[in-house]
């Protein structure tokens, strides 16, 4: 009797499985993202050295998105293959002012009997808040006071304080330690840490440490209290180095029309929910003054949330217009804005003013592979995000390397596509239905081949 080995049956099954996998592989590959899955397509023009390219994503393109997170954005090559990509948001860059700024300093005295206590002072300030005179509270006779520390007037520096540079008389050498405290009202003090300066001389050599690092925060006044008051030096100079936050890079929309909910209350509907940073109202009528309250919400089913209140105006002074027409938003994802205008200021005119909004500038970096030309596709309410972290997409990324990447630009301005409130099914997607039907038939065929192989091997045993 001719008996087939069980091993041979397993080999036949394996061959059938491999054959089935080869059959289904091209079909499964078609289940990836396809250009036709997206509502908007815009050709890209690339320049510079690849294979990575950077695209400054204009707001006009983002308005075609169907997801506020921009999960529905892809770059395709000429063969319809999706390219690996990363998304980055613009960050404000701190601008360091390298020039130290001289500030006023005032001595802080205590009684010799209470040399470690917090100094109590009385001050005289100018109308701008600048210190004119600082005197200890109470009467101290000559010889009873002890120098406890120094008070620095930093009110003229409206920026984060990063470095303190001190100089003192040459009589005091060695290490000088002190605490650093900050205040805006001379009543409540916050501790900023410890500082140390030093001056050491040996033979003809002089070693100095005059710079103290600060935490990079704003303060109108600094107080330096020496750890050992008996050795507190007499200052001859106090300077500060500050950094100023750079301007947040923003992308602005064109003006959109609104509607009147009731007199003095205007509502605007955005094409898509976006994380808004600022908004601007077009005030066309001269000498307009409008106290306003701004509200926002994600959609028409959510309650209104108060965002801010302020004063908008366009006033003519000395032949020139002075305009305040912008308000800040916290960056939350919203799709509707409402403005309530206090009519006691005269309102904003008879027509509904147009509104412009801004989001943080977004940059797309993609790795070009396959045949050009490349195109940007956007607009799909259900697709999942495919963005990689930028450090993963560009191994060994450095600021210099990022700046040296090639650039990509939209060849044409993307046409705005109105976003429906909810996805609307327009009919069966026969292409996808056919694809899944072929996949199911392929699985059935694979199972039929496996069963047939098993029966054949059993009958020959």
């Amino acid at each position: 009797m001719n008996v087939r080995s069980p091993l041979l049956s397993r080999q036949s099954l394996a061959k059938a499985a491999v054959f089935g996998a080869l059959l289904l592989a091209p079909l499964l590959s078609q289940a990836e993202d396809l250009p036709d899955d997206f509502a908007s397509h815009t050709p890209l023009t690339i320049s510079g050295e690849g294979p990575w390219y950077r695209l400054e994503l204009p707001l006009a393109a983002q308005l075609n998105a169907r997801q506020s997170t921009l999960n529905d954005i892809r770059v395709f090559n000429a063969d319809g293959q999706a390219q690996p990509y990363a998304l980055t948001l613009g960050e404000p860059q701190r601008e360091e002012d390298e020039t130290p700024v001289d500030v006023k300093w005032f001595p802080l005295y205590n009684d010799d009997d209470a040399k470690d206590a917090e100094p109590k002072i009385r001050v005289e300030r100018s109308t701008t808040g600048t210190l004119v005179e600082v005197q200890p509270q109470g009467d101290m006779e000559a010889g009873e006071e002890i120098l406890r520390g120094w008070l620095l007037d930093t009110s003229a520096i409206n920026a984060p304080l990063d470095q303190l540079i001190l100089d003192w008389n040459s009589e005091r050498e060695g290490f000088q330690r002190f605490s650093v405290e900050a205040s805006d009202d001379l009543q409540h003090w916050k501790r900023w840490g410890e500082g140390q300066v030093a001056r050491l001389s040996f033979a003809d050599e002089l070693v100095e440490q005059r710079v103290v690092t600060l935490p990079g925060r704003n303060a109108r006044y600094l107080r330096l209290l020496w750890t050992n008051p008996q050795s507190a030096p007499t200052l001859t100079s106090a300077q500060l180095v500050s950094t100023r936050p750079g301007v947040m890079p923003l992308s602005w929309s064109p003006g959109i029309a609104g509607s009147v909910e009731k007199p003095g209350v205007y509502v605007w509907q955005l094409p898509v929910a976006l994380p808004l940073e600022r908004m601007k109202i077009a005030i066309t009528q001269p000498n307009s003054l409008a106290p306003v309250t701004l509200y926002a919400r994600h959609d028409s089913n959510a309650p209104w949330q108060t965002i801010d209140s302020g004063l908008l105006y366009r006033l003519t002074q000395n032949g020139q217009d002075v305009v305040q027409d912008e308000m800040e938003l916290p960056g939350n994802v919203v799709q509707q804005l409402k403005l309530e205008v206090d009519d006691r200021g005269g309102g904003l005119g008879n027509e509904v003013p147009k509104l412009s909004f801004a989001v943080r500038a977004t940059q797309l970096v993609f790795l070009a592979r396959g045949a050009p030309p490349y195109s940007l596709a956007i607009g799909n309410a259900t697709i999942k995000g495919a963005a990689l972290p930028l450090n993963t997409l560009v191994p060994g990324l450095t600021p210099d390397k990022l700046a040296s990447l090639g650039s990509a630009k939209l060849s044409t301005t993307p046409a705005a596509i109105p976003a429906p409130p909810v996805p609307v099914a327009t009919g069966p997607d026969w292409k996808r239905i056919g694809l899944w039907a072929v996949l199911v038939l392929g699985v059935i065929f694979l199972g039929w081949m496996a069963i047939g192989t098993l029966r054949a091997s059993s009958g020959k045993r």
Side-chain angles (χ1 to χ4, degrees), residues 292-440:
V292 299
T293 302
L294 179 65
Y295 303 86
R297 63 182 179 182
H298 186 273
D299 54 55
S300 58
N301 296 322
W304 289 105
Q305 302 290 331
T306 304
I307 299 299
D308 195 8
S309 60
L311 183 65
L312 303 179
Y313 54 84
R314 175 184 287 274
L315 303 173
T316 303
Q317 296 180 347
N318 301 323
Q320 294 183 340
D321 281 347
V322 180
V323 180
Q324 170 57 42
D325 57 0
E326 293 187 18
M327 298 182 73
E328 291 190 11
L329 289 93
N332 297 336
V333 176
V334 299
Q335 192 168 6
Q336 289 185 331
L337 293 171
K338 179 169 72 172
L339 194 71
E340 288 188 356
V341 180
D342 189 336
D343 59 6
R344 291 177 297 177
L348 294 173
N350 297 326
E351 298 182 356
V352 180
K354 287 193 173 182
L355 176 140
S356 302
F357 53 89
V359 300
R360 288 172 63 181
T362 301
Q363 188 177 86
L364 183 146
V365 180
F366 70 93
L367 174 61
R369 58 188 180 91
Y374 303 97
S375 62
L376 178 73
I378 192 168
N380 187 315
T382 58
I383 201 166
K384 294 182 178 179
L388 293 169
L390 186 58
N391 289 330
T392 301
L393 181 71
V394 187
L397 180 68
T398 62
D400 291 340
K401 186 173 183 178
L402 180 62
S404 67
L405 300 184
S407 63
K409 294 183 178 180
L410 300 180
S411 299
T412 59
T413 302
I417 301 174
V422 295
V424 178
T426 57
D429 188 345
W430 294 110
K431 182 177 179 179
R432 287 193 174 276
I433 292 175
L435 175 62
W436 282 106
V438 172
L439 290 172
V440 172

Side-chain angles (χ1 to χ4, degrees), residues 198-221:
R199 175 173 290 149
L200 303 172
S201 59
F202 180 76
D204 294 331
E205 298 292 332
L206 179 66
V207 178
E208 289 187 316
Q209 171 59 44
R210 300 173 50 212
V211 179
V212 177
T213 301
L214 300 177
R217 296 197 290 267
N218 291 64
R220 293 180 59 83
Y221 309 103

Side-chain angles (χ1 to χ4, degrees), residues 49-62:
E49 185 177 354
W52 294 279
Y53 295 92
R54 294 188 302 166
L55 169 67
E56 298 292 339
L57 194 62
L59 184 56
Q62 296 183 50

Side-chain angles (χ1 to χ4, degrees), residues 29-59:
S29 66
Q30 294 300 315
E32 297 176 353
D33 299 336
L34 301 173
D36 291 344
D37 296 335
F38 300 85
S40 171
H41 299 268
T42 308
L44 295 177
T45 301
I46 60 174
S47 60
E49 185 177 354
W52 294 279
Y53 295 92
R54 294 188 302 166
L55 169 67
E56 298 292 339
L57 194 62
L59 184 56

